[in-house]
Amino acid sequence: MAVKEKNILNRLYFIAGCMFIFALAVVFKLLSIQFIQGDKYRELAEERTIKNVVIPANRGNVYSVNGNLLATSVPKYDIRIDAVTSKAKVFEENLKPLADSLSKFSGKPSSYYQKEIRKARANRNRYYLLARDIGYSDYIRIRNFPLLNLGAYKGGLIVEQTTKREHPMGGVAERTIGYERFDENGNVTRPGIDGAYGVKYLRGTDGLRLKQKIGNGQWKPIADYNQVEPKDGYDLYTTISVNIQDIAHNALLQQLEHYEAEHGCVVVMEVATGEIRAISNLGRTKNGSYYEKLNYAVGESHEPGSTFKVMALMAAMEDKLVDTSTVVDTKQGVKTFYGRKIRDSKHGGYGKISAARALEVSSNIGLATIIDEAYSKNPEKFLNRLKSWNLDKPLGLPILGEGKPVIYEPGHSKWSKNALPSMSYGYNLKLTPLQTLTFYNAIANNGVMVKPTFIKEVRELNKQIETFDKTVINNKICSDKTIKEMQEMLKNVVVRGTGKSLYTPYFSMAGKTGTAQTEYWMDDWDDNKRYVSSFAGYFPAENPKYSCIVIIHKPSIEKGYYGADVSGPVFKRIAQKIFTDTPIIDEVETLEVKHVAVEKEFDSYYKTAQTYKTIMPNVVGLPLMDALALLENMGLKVKFQGVGIVKSQSLDKGLKIKKNQTVVIEAS
Amino acid sequence: MKTVFKNIKGDRLIWAIAALLAIFSFLPVYSAASNLAYVGDSGNTFAFFLKHLMHLFLGFTIMYGVHKIPYRYFRGLSIVLIPVVLVLLVITMLQGTTIEGANASRWIQIPLVNMSFQTSTFAFVVLMVFVARYMSKIKDTEITFKESILPLWVPVFLVLILILPANFSTAAIMFVMVLMLVFLGGYPVKYLAVIVGTGILALTFFVLIAKAFPDAMPNRVDTWMSRIESFSDDGDTEADYQIEKAKIAIATGGIQGVGPGKSIQKNFLPQSSSDFIYAIIVEEYGLLGGLTLMVFYLWLLFRIVIVSQKADTIFGKLLVLGVGLPIVFQALINMAVAVELFPVTGQTLPLISSGGTSIWMTCLALGIILSVSAKREEIKEQEDKEDNPLEILSEAI
């Protein structure tokens, strides 16, 4: 073969050349990845390994006026088990203890859990649900159950945390406290205060943090700061009082249940400030129970009925077209206006009565006559008066979905000659319960009309962010004289008018009943009469503190439908409870009544203690407690038997005693 | 220390290149270790650092020791070691352990030291020495193909067949390297063609057997088939995943790199401290770092050529090339895999990648080369000092 060195060299150069070319190819490929495909891969790198993680801000709490929690966000846990991951031996050993623990936790039998978990393991279920929506302490408890305490990989524990909005007061005022809920399409429902102020205050702003993927599907933060710091939402302090809310809720609920009404609402408002202390809206479910269905008080505008007579009469009084003493003829309970008959609820009618009396007895004919006579030539004047009281405009509440009031004007298709008499007793126009209440509140507040508010202040921990002062809608809705006269009439409604069944000598109320027909335009009304019973007013009648409206829709008419019977008692119950629960005198002076016997006993004890320091006193006849204290203070060791009054002592009176000497006393 | 340096013989530049590569290797290995430590139970990255240090220390001890041995002894040693290697390979095949992350049974546990050892890498060096010995032995004789079968090709194929099931790529590279060496040794090209044909035939036969009796073989056949398929196809396989990560790493590196230890893809690239270390190096040190590293290997190639040129015997020349060229070749393959020029193989980057066997066998090969070059120095010292200016130049670079 004769290998020559030269031969080797030539072949070597060939090989080395090939390697060099290979190296060049690598370099070329390297450059092409970096420069030609570079952008694509760099993009991929970012896409695959970097993400912006949202750090959710904690949603603020909603508090009552006294600082009770009304709504808060709490962590909830779903516990599942990976039934496959644990080793056969570990699984068998721990299944029974785990099932026992779970059974104790949930109340389901242990055998059920054994069967189900075994089945999950057989079906290779790695996601078997054990408990849903449990709280933190329950989660800690479950975490320590056998098998699960081995952790995710050995035991198969899977924990999923979610944040849930909770109302610690339960369903009370739920519709007004509200929430924010997103459905799967991203549509949001935002009822109540939470909805009104959620976006602005409660929500806060979510933070962002850049995270980079590391092995095992985990992500680590890239920098030691957040790209956007999360800012927790502010807390809302509402005007809701838990006590009053509770009273109102239960009073309404009781009445709704009794009258099997379709729905109803109650609002209690502080007279001076317009702060809503309680708002309850209950609607009936198919099975007859009630829950916070819709915010009727805010959202439902309806024909107010007789409660509107107050507005009508006040307008006429303020326009000096009528006086409380103006006599009006209510005939025999039926009077025809422009071809339409108007009736009073009392058969036979009230005859000739004063305007004040007409309001007290809620005479439709009386009011229709007064208003028609006063304004039929110039209905605009009446309407303008109502408009000056903002009755044609919404209150502009922050809560979404406020009902719009409706007042028709001449020229409108629903306006006719009969419109005016109809309006005088609360038909042919619409108001929401809260609008009616706002007006009654203005009467109670001596003519100052304030806007209802639900929220007092916004806080971030202890820092005040924003406070909400009362908003005056109308500084003086009418003359003092009119106000005084109206207050007097409203008081008399309860004393001797339609509300006299509510009268009690123990506390005073003022208000107006209302019984309005509803859905009377439907064909079946004659067979199935439906009413809206209401009561609006305030209490106490003098220097009123709270105004309140109760509206109950469609009570069962067999049981009653008059405002005084259906809604009035709710009003009364609330007034009564608030009176008994809230001391009118805020501070009680210290009771410094001297108890003679106690004083005497103490004196003798004190005297003995001062006298006997080294000599045994006579303790027979003293209460055991006093004797014990006395002797032990002297440095004696006391053994005792029995309770009550000391009968005997082992050391006689007058003996000199030493420290730590033992004395035995017996009590009866 | 001084005495150690005094006792260092052979090509100083090879020593220097090896030392530089070894020192540099700590950076990417330590960086890649962070993920291994995180994924594994230990959580201790320094353990990986220490382990690598130990591997390198042992490697350089081997290198030093081997370069002290006069290279003529390797001639006989290779004949003795071939049967030993065969036995070791059989043992590996039967009781081979898998190493975490890599499911090929290529390692055996060395008793007492508690280290795993990849037998095929050792077999590689021994086989190359063996082939170099044979080629130098027949240098003065005309040889027929038949005559070379028993003393050359039978041992070669025996070794290769034992490696093939567990490690196709190593077997293939060894085959190519053996072919290269016999080509350099003046083996007629027409015979080579026959051998290549035989090799391909043997491989086909093996694959068919593996397909026919899937239980008899470890599942490796499917792995290489899928790897080769994925290299040619556009399918989405695990190898594609690795390659994509490697390419992402290279692309993010840019010209200057993201900086030492800041690689992101190390978290996703399996074998980021060995098979895919080049991608991590480019990510952290950029195009500049990657090209510099390649220049070092090419420089090593250059030095190997020089040492081979100067070797005093044909055996010396073939020995240097036989053990030296695979180092460079392996380095290029590793880089080629990272840039998707080559299907995914388990080849390490010599002296850089973590992994004891790879480091030790590279050091063994370098020791052998240095031994040859030390011999040359000895001869040179004895000769009159006729200073050939060209030679001085070549010694200097």
Side-chain angles (χ1 to χ4, degrees), chain A residues 543-654:
Chain A
N543 295 322
K545 191 143 171 53
Y546 297 107
S547 60
C548 174
I549 188 165
V550 182
I551 309 250
I552 291 176
H553 280 249
K554 302 180 196 168
S556 156
I557 52 168
E558 289 92 58
K559 297 198 174 179
Y561 55 91
Y562 284 108
D565 301 334
V566 180
S567 292
V570 177
F571 182 94
K572 183 179 173 184
R573 210 167 293 142
I574 292 170
Q576 180 184 7
K577 282 247 173 95
I578 289 178
F579 268 102
T580 47
D581 283 8
T582 323
I584 300 301
I585 307 163
D586 286 342
E587 234 176 291
V588 178
E589 282 174 53
T590 330
L591 295 168
E592 285 239 26
V593 185
K594 292 198 174 179
H595 195 289
V596 182
V598 173
E599 286 290 304
K600 204 174 147 197
E601 239 171 54
F602 181 77
D603 281 345
S604 85
Y605 169 84
Y606 185 75
K607 208 173 137 199
T608 320
Q610 291 302 310
T611 320
Y612 296 89
K613 301 262 177 187
T614 53
I615 300 164
M616 186 68 197
N618 180 19
V619 294
V620 173
L622 281 182
L624 182 62
M625 283 298 159
D626 285 357
L628 263 174
L630 198 70
L631 298 176
E632 283 186 340
N633 280 338
M634 286 165 66
L636 287 165
K637 283 199 167 164
V638 186
K639 287 184 177 168
F640 65 91
Q641 286 170 340
V643 285
I645 306 296
V646 177
K647 270 196 322 199
S648 69
Q649 56 190 75
S650 63
L651 297 174
D652 283 339
K653 180 193 169 193

Side-chain angles (χ1 to χ4, degrees), chain A residues 280-298:
Chain A
S280 197
N281 297 282
L282 296 173
R284 188 180 168 92
T285 60
K286 279 192 189 110
N287 59 24
S289 63
Y290 291 88
Y291 76 109
E292 287 262 337
K293 203 168 176 180
L294 288 169
N295 205 334
Y296 305 110
V298 171

Side-chain angles (χ1 to χ4, degrees), chain A residues 186-203:
Chain A
N187 301 324
V188 62
T189 23
R190 290 200 184 96
I193 295 170
D194 199 313
Y197 297 99
V199 176
K200 196 173 175 197
Y201 298 114
L202 289 173
R203 182 189 281 172

Side-chain angles (χ1 to χ4, degrees), chain A residues 217-272:
Chain A
Q218 305 205 32
W219 297 76
K220 67 162 192 184
I222 290 181
D224 54 3
Y225 55 86
N226 296 330
Q227 267 56 40
V228 176
E229 283 294 334
K231 196 163 182 332
D232 287 349
Y234 296 137
D235 293 337
L236 282 184
Y237 282 77
T238 64
T239 58
I240 305 283
S241 156
V242 172
N243 287 339
I244 299 179
Q245 178 69 44
D246 187 51
I247 292 166
H249 178 88
N250 286 311
L252 177 66
L253 182 62
Q254 197 183 330
Q255 204 71 349
L256 288 175
E257 280 172 347
H258 181 258
Y259 282 94
E260 294 163 9
E262 197 216 25
H263 67 262
C265 64
V266 174
V267 185
V268 179
M269 181 162 148
E270 193 176 69
V271 168

Side-chain angles (χ1 to χ4, degrees), chain A residues 465-535:
Chain A
I465 300 295
E466 203 173 331
T467 51
F468 294 83
D469 293 329
K470 71 171 176 189
T471 315
V472 176
I473 299 173
N474 190 333
N475 215 3
K476 200 164 178 58
I477 56 169
C478 63
S479 69
D480 288 342
K481 178 173 172 282
T482 312
I483 282 289
K484 287 281 167 270
E485 285 171 353
M486 185 50 77
Q487 286 175 347
E488 195 58 32
M489 283 184 272
L490 289 178
K491 199 162 88 184
N492 286 333
V493 168
V494 178
V495 177
R496 59 184 191 214
T498 48
K500 71 171 175 247
S501 60
L502 304 172
Y503 176 78
T504 163
Y506 303 110
F507 54 89
S508 61
M509 299 172 281
K512 178 75 192 74
T513 58
T515 312
Q517 300 175 358
T518 186
E519 298 175 354
Y520 49 81
W521 54 87
M522 289 189 182
D523 296 334
D524 66 338
W525 201 82
D526 283 330
D527 308 325
N528 175 19
K529 293 182 168 136
R530 281 149 284 175
Y531 293 92
V532 177
S533 306
S534 50
F535 193 98

Side-chain angles (χ1 to χ4, degrees), chain B residues 58-225:
Chain B
L58 198 58
F60 274 76
T61 312
I62 291 170
M63 197 161 137
Y64 181 79
V66 168
H67 105 289
K68 283 291 186 187
I69 304 170
Y71 76 85
R72 62 175 185 279
Y73 291 131
F74 298 132
R75 216 186 256 271
L77 211 54
S78 70
I79 301 177
V80 179
L81 283 177
I82 282 287
V84 176
V85 160
L86 288 175
V87 171
L88 280 176
L89 285 173
V90 169
I91 294 173
T92 310
M93 242 174 92
L94 296 180
Q95 61 115 55
T97 55
T98 57
I99 280 197
E100 222 173 306
N103 45 3
S105 44
R106 304 168 181 178
W107 285 267
I108 54 167
Q109 209 69 26
I110 309 171
L112 301 176
V113 268
N114 190 26
M115 276 180 189
S116 51
F117 184 82
Q118 202 171 351
T119 35
S120 57
T121 319
F122 179 61
F124 198 170
V125 179
V126 172
L127 190 66
M128 293 311 275
V129 178
F130 177 79
V131 173
R133 182 207 63 91
Y134 177 77
M135 292 315 291
S136 65
K137 203 182 93 183
I138 60 156
K139 67 180 189 292
D140 295 326
T141 50
E142 282 292 332
I143 195 159
T144 62
F145 180 65
K146 274 184 185 167
E147 281 171 309
S148 70
I149 288 179
L150 191 66
L152 177 64
W153 296 116
V154 168
V156 167
F157 273 101
L158 269 178
V159 170
L160 290 184
I161 279 173
L162 288 175
I163 293 173
L164 187 66
N167 199 341
F168 168 70
S169 62
T170 302
I173 288 170
M174 276 170 79
F175 187 53
V176 171
M177 287 292 107
V178 168
L179 290 177
M180 181 204 73
L181 190 56
V182 295
F183 169 69
L184 284 170
Y187 200 71
V189 178
K190 54 182 177 186
Y191 294 170
L192 280 180
V194 176
I195 289 302
V196 172
T198 315
I200 291 172
L201 215 67
L203 179 65
T204 320
F205 188 59
F206 174 77
V207 170
L208 285 178
I209 288 181
K211 286 271 173 197
F213 306 100
D215 297 337
M217 300 284 167
N219 256 347
R220 294 300 298 174
V221 176
D222 291 335
T223 308
W224 354 303
M225 298 303 281

Side-chain angles (χ1 to χ4, degrees), chain A residues 57-73:
Chain A
N58 294 320
R59 199 174 177 85
N61 294 333
V62 178
Y63 292 98
S64 76
V65 73
N66 355 53
N68 302 64
L69 260 183
L70 294 180
T72 187
S73 297

Side-chain angles (χ1 to χ4, degrees), chain A residues 1 11 13 34 42 48, chain B residues 141-142 183 244 250-251 309:
Chain A
M1 199 184 282
R11 291 186 170 195
Y13 289 151
Q34 287 213 323
R42 275 186 286 272
R48 297 268 161 91
Chain B
T141 50
E142 282 292 332
F183 169 69
E244 188 191 82
I250 290 168
Q309 251 185 17

